[in-house]
Amino acid sequence: QVQLVESGGASVPAGRSLSLSCAVSQGPGSIDKVIRMSWYRRTPDKERELVADLVIGGSTGYPDSVKVRFTISRDSVKDTLYLQMDNLKPGDSAIYLCNQKGAFWGQGTQVTVFP
């Protein structure tokens, strides 16, 4: 039922920053009503991995690989999920996908980080 559309991916040198967006089409304010919104990433040689979680109460979670460098947030008015990525590394290169409640997925946006 819900549609998720990611944007903001690009090719950047290591050390730069990017901000990804995920537009959620489920009605105004609905992004604050779901249990969990998340960002995942995947590469051809690796399984999809969770990189950021945002729980309904506002709590966030990150794996050690991106902790401090990545920040997940949401805008209730725009019904948009964000992923701020700082100090990007080549290992961050992947397709980044938005997810709602572990069930609904966006198409993904490509991030490429070169040395």
Side-chain angles (χ1 to χ4, degrees):
Q1 196 73 53
V2 62
Q3 292 186 357
L4 309 173
V5 182
E6 303 94 336
S7 62
S11 180
V12 299
R16 294 283 293 276
S17 298
L18 282 175
S19 181
L20 306 182
S21 299
C22 172
V24 182
S25 60
Q26 199 177 12
S30 62
I31 195 171
D32 288 335
K33 301 175 182 178
V34 299
I35 296 296
R36 179 168 63 94
M37 295 291 300
S38 309
W39 284 98
Y40 288 77
R41 67 185 181 188
R42 63 174 173 85
T43 60
D45 59 328
K46 299 173 67 175
E47 288 192 51
R48 184 174 54 211
E49 64 174 332
L50 177 69
V51 296
D53 250 1
L54 180 60
V55 181
I56 189 170
S59 299
T60 59
Y62 310 89
D64 291 339
S65 59
V66 305
K67 191 182 302 180
V68 178
R69 298 190 299 116
F70 288 12
T71 303
I72 188 172
S73 63
R74 64 185 171 219
D75 187 318
S76 299
V77 176
K78 298 179 179 180
D79 277 344
T80 301
L81 184 74
Y82 299 98
L83 182 65
Q84 177 65 39
M85 304 183 294
D86 298 319
N87 191 23
L88 285 164
K89 305 176 180 180
D92 295 321
S93 297
I95 295 177
Y96 284 74
L97 304 104
C98 180
N99 177 271
Q100 182 184 94
K101 297 192 296 184
F104 304 101
W105 296 92
Q107 190 177 50
T109 184
Q110 177 70 53
V111 172
T112 302
V113 185
F114 56 91

